Amino acid sequence: MNPLLLGPVAVGDINNDGKLDLAVGTSGQPGPPIAIFLGNGDGTFQDAALVSFPAQSGNNGIIGGLKLADLNHDGNLDLIAGSYEMATMGVLLGNGDGTFKPATFYYEGNAPTGLVNGRLQRRWECRPRHCRYQCLFGEQR
């Protein structure tokens, strides 16, 4: 494997074995790829498996934000990644075995450099001079 420029890290049990795993944003081509390091449970990790994040074919890119969350409530962690050079956010649904389905992309128009996931209340207040945000809302359950 060629050396990768590593970026943001997300930690969670990606393959449902009770051991913490790492998802690491990288930069490179095609893509950028996302490196998945499955944990051995003793503080060491297996060699990286690369997950394709081909937002724009043939372009280099840099992952600016990375989160793990069970977005579709199936018990498997899903991956949310933002590439700030390509103004793209993608959601990769987890299979529960350390692999992911191909990304669904959302072209959000600005360069995502950080991601936050959680439950939003109906009332949200933000003064535009003091913060910048965009929201992608999922189905309420």
Side-chain angles (χ1 to χ4, degrees), residues 3-139:
L4 298 171
L5 176 62
L6 302 179
V9 176
V11 179
D13 185 7
I14 297 170
N15 60 349
N16 292 321
D17 66 354
K19 301 169 187 166
L20 291 178
D21 308 308
L22 303 176
V24 182
T26 69
S27 68
Q29 197 173 11
I34 298 167
I36 304 297
F37 295 90
L38 298 178
N40 295 319
D42 61 0
T44 65
F45 296 88
Q46 299 174 27
D47 289 340
L50 296 181
V51 175
S52 180
F53 191 72
Q56 294 179 1
S57 178
N59 283 349
N60 283 332
I62 298 173
I63 299 293
L66 199 61
K67 291 287 181 188
L68 288 167
D70 184 6
L71 298 176
N72 59 352
H73 306 284
D74 66 353
N76 300 324
L77 288 178
D78 307 310
L79 189 59
I80 309 135
S83 175
Y84 66 82
E85 284 190 347
M86 295 181 282
T88 302
M89 185 181 73
V91 174
L92 298 90
L93 297 177
N95 295 317
D97 61 359
T99 65
F100 295 88
K101 293 175 178 53
T104 300
F105 291 101
Y106 302 91
Y107 295 92
E108 60 90 26
N110 291 311
T113 57
L115 301 172
V116 177
N117 62 297
R119 295 182 67 139
L120 297 178
Q121 301 292 328
R122 288 181 186 229
R123 186 173 183 206
W124 180 308
E125 183 178 332
C126 183
R127 297 184 194 124
R129 289 179 290 174
H130 301 288
C131 68
R132 242 179 69 197
Y133 65 89
Q134 290 188 346
C135 296
L136 177 66
F137 293 98
E139 180 180 327

